[in-house]
Each structure stands twice: as structure tokens, then as C-alpha cells.
Amino acid sequence: MVDKGTPRSPNPIDRYVGIRIRLRRRVMGMSQQALAAKLGVTFQQLQKYENGVNRIGAGRLYELARALGVPVGYFYEDFDPAVDPSKRSEEETQAISVFIGSREGVQLAQAFNRIDDAKIRRHILQLTNTLGSDDSQDA
């Protein structure tokens, strides 16, 4: 039997929405304090939203979308229900945090997302894996 938690406990989509909030906020160069002030909540509450600890109501999600300049649907783009963000390894979570925390990471993510052709996206991923491997450092 699968434990679904309480009806109000966060689930994978809550965690995914939180990740999308953090990503958009960082892309905009906005601090947690600034976004929290726009929403009229504490930065700790925003932190809980971003970490998927607290669920976000429909009205609050609409306010977040307006504050971040995106449609509400942005928060659900590319959601895969088979992948639970809370099940990521600590190493993967740290890598994601470092990536979206850097200017180059944000720029790379923005450019990559503008590429519509899946084949080209796979080739770019292969290229970055090759360039980032330890073997490429020895060449």
C-alpha cells in the first residue's frame, strides 16, 4: 500500500512548483526577501514554498505568477509525475542549486529551453557531458 500522506501534505507537484518558483526568481535576479515582500509573506514562508514543504493555494499561485511575470501554467511545464524531486540524491540537489545559482547556469538554461528540436538538445547534452568529463581535461 502506498502512503499518500495527509490530504494537505505536499506531493511531487508541490515540490516541482517550488523548484520552478526558485528557478524563475533566480533568473530574474530577485532575492527571496524581495519576492516575499511582493507577496506579503515572510521570506521563511517563501522558502517553504520553494522547498515544497508548504502547499500553495490557487490565489497565492496566481500572485506568484504575476510577481514573477509568467503565466500560471509556467509552474507546471514539463512536470513528469514519475519523477519525485524529493527523491534526488544530495549530490544531484547540490549540483542543481549551484547551476541555477550561477549567472552562466541561468543563461545556459534559458538558451537550452529555446531549442525546440529534441535531437539538437540531446546532442548538446552529449557535448556538455564530453566537455565536462575528466578525460577532456587530460587532452
Side-chain angles (χ1 to χ4, degrees):
M1 178 181 234
V2 177
D3 178 23
K4 295 185 181 190
T6 64
R8 296 187 53 92
S9 64
N11 60 40
I13 190 66
D14 296 314
R15 289 182 279 277
Y16 185 79
V17 168
I19 289 168
R20 299 288 290 178
I21 291 167
R22 179 182 299 119
L23 176 62
R24 179 64 182 166
R25 179 181 58 76
R26 287 187 173 172
V27 163
M28 294 179 68
M30 186 183 298
S31 69
Q32 283 182 325
Q33 291 85 356
L35 180 54
K38 278 186 163 192
L39 299 172
V41 300
T42 64
F43 85 91
Q44 292 94 337
Q45 180 61 48
L46 181 64
Q47 219 169 28
K48 290 177 182 180
Y49 290 153
E50 288 187 357
N51 291 326
V53 173
N54 285 7
R55 300 185 87 174
I56 303 170
R60 178 74 68 210
L61 191 61
Y62 178 78
E63 292 171 9
L64 276 159
R66 289 194 60 194
L68 295 171
V70 295
V72 172
Y74 162 84
F75 300 112
Y76 302 98
E77 286 176 4
D78 300 321
F79 175 69
D80 182 352
V83 178
D84 182 347
S86 69
K87 303 294 187 226
R88 289 191 171 111
S89 69
E90 184 62 34
E91 182 180 333
E92 186 179 12
T93 301
Q94 180 64 27
I96 291 168
S97 181
V98 169
F99 180 76
I100 63 175
S102 71
R103 172 174 282 167
E104 294 87 359
V106 170
Q107 291 172 341
L108 183 60
Q110 289 171 325
F112 187 81
N113 286 331
R114 288 191 299 265
I115 300 169
D116 293 327
D117 188 322
K119 187 176 181 181
I120 291 173
R121 288 168 71 122
R122 281 192 303 276
H123 285 304
I124 291 171
L125 182 58
Q126 290 171 341
L127 174 64
T128 56
N129 280 330
T130 300
L131 292 173
S133 73
D134 289 335
D135 296 341
S136 69
Q137 305 297 320
D138 298 332

